[in-house]
Amino acid sequence: MAIDSRIFVLSVLILLCKLSPSHGRTDPSFRVRAVNLGGWLVTEGWIKPSLFDGIPNKDFLDGTGLQFKSVTTGKYLCAETGGGTIIVANRTAASGWETFKLWRINEKTFNFRVFNNQFVGLDTNGNGIDVVAVSTIPGSSETFEIVRKPDDSTRIRIKAPNGNFLQAKSEALLTADFTGNSEWGDNDPSVFVMTISGRLQGEFQVTNGYGPKRATQVMREHWKTFIVEDDFKFISQNGLNAVRIPVGWWIASDPTPPPPYVGGSLKTLDNAFLWAQQPSKFTRTDGILISDYRKYGVKIIIDLHAAPGSQNGFEHSSSRDGSQEWGKTDDNIQQTVAVIDFLTARYAKSPSLYAVELINEPLAPGASLESLNKYYKAGYDAVRKHSSTAFVVLSNRLGDIDPRELFPLASGLMRSVVDVHYYNLFSSIFDNLSVQQNIDFINTNRTQQLNYVTTSNGPLTFVGEWVVEWRVNGATKEDYQRFGKAQLEVYGRATFGWAYWTLRNVNNHWSLEWMIKNGYIKL
Ligand SMILES: *[C@@H]1O[C@H](CO)[C@@H](O)[C@H](O)[C@H]1NC(C)=O
Ligand SMILES: *[C@@H]1O[C@H](CO)[C@@H](O)[C@H](O)[C@H]1NC(C)=O
Ligand SMILES: *[C@@H]1O[C@H](CO)[C@@H](O)[C@H](O)[C@H]1NC(C)=O
């Protein structure tokens, strides 16, 4: 296709002018219109379930919650008092104390973590066969095998490290001394009915599930194919100007991150920076090679989505078993600052680096405001060591907090941004709302909430995650279009901008690519 060369040269010049001060806020009316690249460098199973398909024994991943009902007592196993003492078999209903969270050693063997975080094991200080939950570090006495009944996978037996099976001798006594085979009958005290009460499908689960060798292959294939250069073209051609890229803390020790994480995600992030600013090269029909600077120029917001220890216990922060340890020690905070330091140093010179988000969705009260403030101050300084221009994004805590709680700190920081996430989901207030009520909520309540955090002398505001999805059943395409339009209008007033969650997802409404291609949203 022939190109009018005058228009072409002109466009290139205009673009170069626009690009050069690319991370300055020279234009105060500029707003980020971004899409998240979720599920790429930090795994979330619901975004791409097939990533887990090849894992052997994939029901039993780290963090899977299991409940066991003894067929002889008819009652659930329970860590008495939540942990620290014996395991009993006398509970009629199962919840926290009756849930055992897996740590996967390999596809066959596991540790069971109880409510108070001890591990189930044999009472090595006593008779060696009573089953207790006292050890805080799992060792060989805490390592079990789960054997499923061949034709009914809800019936299981648990093989102890001494080679015997566990049995519910009575409601008050669980021991590891059943030696016989099983007919799997209701009179066999070594048989339990198993319920899976919860699952995590994050980066820890997928990498540890595959094991070191396979995980490297699978993850590298995923990184190479899930997001590609063409996506940056699509983004820049569809009214977007930026991407928010979730990354995990282990990226800073690439290519040899601590197990089970595997190396290669840093190179993939390097690629994103290349693609974001890559001039597209193509050969004209008359044989002349053209570098077309018009196509790209996507800004990048690096988002530390998974911090060491997990800042919220969710799979998207790579929690191993739902626990939330981030921020509890100074070492942990320093380790997180070092990740920010590393990433900013690496990309500070790229014209695409627009902002660094220090941590995503820390959850109150586990992540305390005190440790968060300490971290945000140190993380901000780490960014500024390398870049005077990159915006520094501070994510508000999830939970029952004052959305202005970061203002005392943020107001004293140059180019700081507060990130709020607005979903009409994850709360019972949305359970029974109609289409119109959902839209009214955006226009009224979200506007109020955004106004509350948008102040003339405070940080800029960023709606860093939102989606055109809700709890409405049977909504029409037009309903979705109206819902999306309302959100775009309201979030368009955020002074830093917004980012849709996410670019690609097997759930259509969560895939901005699908929403654009199918006419559900127009930017
Ligand atoms: C279960 O057994 C333990 C140990 O005998 C006992 O202390 C506890 O009260 C029992 N709980 C129930 C609900 O029966
Ligand atoms: C939603 O409606 C259902 C069915 O009418 C009702 O049981 C439930 O309590 C409602 N939820 C809320 C949060 O109002
Ligand atoms: C939304 O805002 C309206 C008007 O201020 C208020 O009456 C209503 O309670 C708010 N809804 C929720 C769920 O907070």
Side-chain angles (χ1 to χ4, degrees):
M1 187 207 290
I3 289 197
D4 182 319
S5 55
R6 282 160 309 167
I7 294 178
F8 176 73
V9 167
L10 191 63
S11 314
V12 169
L13 283 176
I14 290 169
L15 251 113
L16 284 176
C17 295
K18 278 192 183 164
L19 279 175
S20 49
S22 55
H23 43 194
R25 196 180 170 81
T26 47
D27 174 5
S29 67
F30 179 81
R31 298 282 192 279
V32 163
R33 300 158 62 84
V35 62
N36 284 279
L37 303 185
W40 188 28
L41 302 182
V42 180
T43 295
E44 296 187 39
W46 70 287
I47 291 180
K48 183 183 170 183
S50 62
L51 197 54
F52 288 72
D53 282 353
I55 299 178
N57 212 3
K58 66 177 174 167
D59 269 347
F60 296 145
L61 300 180
D62 290 276
T64 299
L66 299 178
Q67 295 161 346
F68 305 106
K69 192 177 184 175
S70 159
V71 296
T72 49
T73 68
K75 306 257 174 85
Y76 288 95
L77 294 188
C78 168
E80 190 63 34
T81 69
T85 174
I86 56 172
I87 307 289
V88 293
N90 66 8
R91 292 305 203 283
T92 52
S95 93
W97 291 4
E98 294 78 26
T99 300
F100 299 85
K101 289 167 287 181
L102 289 183
W103 277 25
R104 179 171 165 126
I105 308 305
N106 56 48
E107 64 180 273
K108 281 233 166 73
T109 56
F110 307 90
N111 307 134
F112 298 106
R113 204 175 198 197
V114 301
F115 188 80
N116 292 339
N117 286 339
Q118 297 91 344
F119 293 89
V120 174
L122 304 189
D123 179 15
T124 47
N125 295 322
N127 61 8
I129 59 167
D130 286 354
V131 182
V132 294
V134 293
S135 178
T136 51
I137 298 167
S140 56
S141 300
E142 285 75 36
T143 302
F144 297 87
E145 238 180 86
I146 304 173
V147 180
R148 290 176 120 163
K149 184 177 183 224
D151 62 350
D152 175 2
S153 60
T154 64
R155 293 209 152 205
I156 59 105
R157 302 172 80 210
I158 299 168
K159 194 172 186 181
N162 63 10
N164 301 327
F165 287 90
L166 303 193
Q167 62 171 326
K169 269 205 180 126
S170 71
E171 291 199 359
L173 191 59
L174 183 70
T175 54
D177 57 352
F178 190 100
T179 53
N181 285 329
S182 181
E183 304 291 323
W184 297 101
D186 282 345
N187 57 352
D188 182 337
S190 73
V191 174
F192 299 88
V193 175
M194 178 189 74
T195 310
I196 296 180
S197 64
R199 294 176 197 272
L200 291 179
Q201 288 196 311
E203 187 87 5
F204 198 102
Q205 285 73 30
V206 75
T207 51
N208 201 36
Y210 277 109
K213 247 185 123 153
R214 280 280 284 139
T216 303
Q217 293 167 0
V218 169
M219 297 315 292
R220 287 190 182 165
E221 184 62 22
H222 167 64
W223 294 331
K224 206 169 69 193
T225 53
F226 187 64
I227 301 289
V228 297
E229 179 174 348
D230 251 4
D231 293 319
F232 282 74
K233 183 168 157 193
F234 176 83
I235 286 164
S236 64
Q237 290 178 344
N238 281 280
L240 298 161
N241 54 28
V243 289
R244 177 174 179 259
I245 306 184
V247 302
W249 60 273
W250 54 89
I251 198 171
S253 40
D254 212 83
T256 50
Y261 302 107
V262 299
S265 62
L266 185 61
K267 257 209 182 112
T268 315
L269 185 59
D270 287 348
N271 283 338
F273 274 89
L274 270 178
W275 299 334
Q277 61 179 10
Q278 186 88 332
S280 147
K281 291 197 172 66
F282 63 95
T283 307
R284 260 167 34 178
T285 46
D286 57 7
I288 292 175
L289 182 69
I290 296 289
S291 288
D292 184 352
Y293 287 91
R294 291 171 301 179
K295 282 193 176 172
Y296 296 80
V298 175
K299 298 178 195 305
I300 293 182
I301 301 160
I302 297 180
D303 152 40
L304 184 63
H305 218 70
S310 172
Q311 71 274 25
N312 51 38
F314 297 127
E315 69 184 17
H316 57 71
S317 63
S318 192
S319 179
R320 180 170 194 175
D321 62 10
S323 46
Q324 180 193 359
E325 299 298 329
W326 181 84
K328 297 208 167 140
T329 64
D330 277 347
D331 274 1
N332 173 264
I333 291 177
Q334 280 318 308
Q335 189 193 354
T336 319
V337 171
V339 174
I340 295 298
D341 191 309
F342 172 87
L343 288 168
T344 317
R346 190 173 183 90
Y347 300 113
K349 295 217 163 52
S350 166
S352 306
L353 182 69
Y354 191 65
V356 178
E357 181 154 359
L358 299 180
I359 197 169
N360 177 66
E361 295 187 347
L363 175 63
S368 71
L369 184 57
E370 190 195 348
S371 46
L372 195 61
N373 272 326
K374 190 188 283 179
Y375 169 64
Y376 276 161
K377 178 72 182 69
Y380 175 86
D381 290 342
V383 174
R384 285 288 167 263
K385 217 165 89 187
H386 308 289
S387 171
S388 56
T389 50
F391 289 92
V392 179
V393 182
L394 315 178
S395 175
N396 257 353
R397 290 191 297 168
L398 297 182
D400 189 14
I401 56 129
D402 172 8
R404 281 191 194 168
E405 68 175 12
L406 300 174
F407 278 40
L409 173 72
S411 302
L413 307 177
M414 291 280 298
R415 292 169 165 267
S416 66
V417 180
V418 163
D419 180 12
V420 292
H421 295 174
Y422 290 156
Y423 291 103
N424 278 23
L425 296 158
F426 313 125
S427 160
S428 60
I429 63 172
F430 303 112
D431 280 358
N432 295 329
L433 297 195
S434 67
V435 168
Q436 192 54 48
Q437 285 169 324
N438 269 285
I439 292 171
D440 292 345
F441 188 89
I442 299 298
N443 290 329
T444 306
N445 305 66
R446 291 302 188 203
T447 295
Q448 283 170 1
Q449 291 168 2
L450 191 58
N451 285 346
Y452 181 70
V453 288
T454 307
T455 56
S456 56
N457 52 359
L460 298 173
T461 51
F462 180 38
V463 183
E465 292 187 20
W466 62 279
V467 67
V468 184
E469 188 55 296
W470 46 17
R471 289 268 169 265
V472 179
N473 288 321
T476 65
K477 179 171 174 176
E478 200 213 330
D479 294 334
Y480 277 100
Q481 287 169 329
R482 288 174 54 220
F483 186 45
K485 197 156 171 274
Q487 291 190 81
L488 278 172
E489 206 167 296
V490 172
Y491 306 158
R493 296 180 209 131
T495 50
F496 182 77
W498 52 256
Y500 195 93
W501 187 273
T502 181
L503 179 65
R504 186 160 293 131
N505 194 315
V506 294
N507 304 281
N508 291 341
H509 304 136
W510 293 85
S511 162
L512 185 58
E513 179 192 36
W514 189 93
M515 295 294 273
I516 290 172
K517 286 181 172 168
N518 290 278
Y520 276 65
I521 198 166
K522 195 159 165 29
L523 304 176

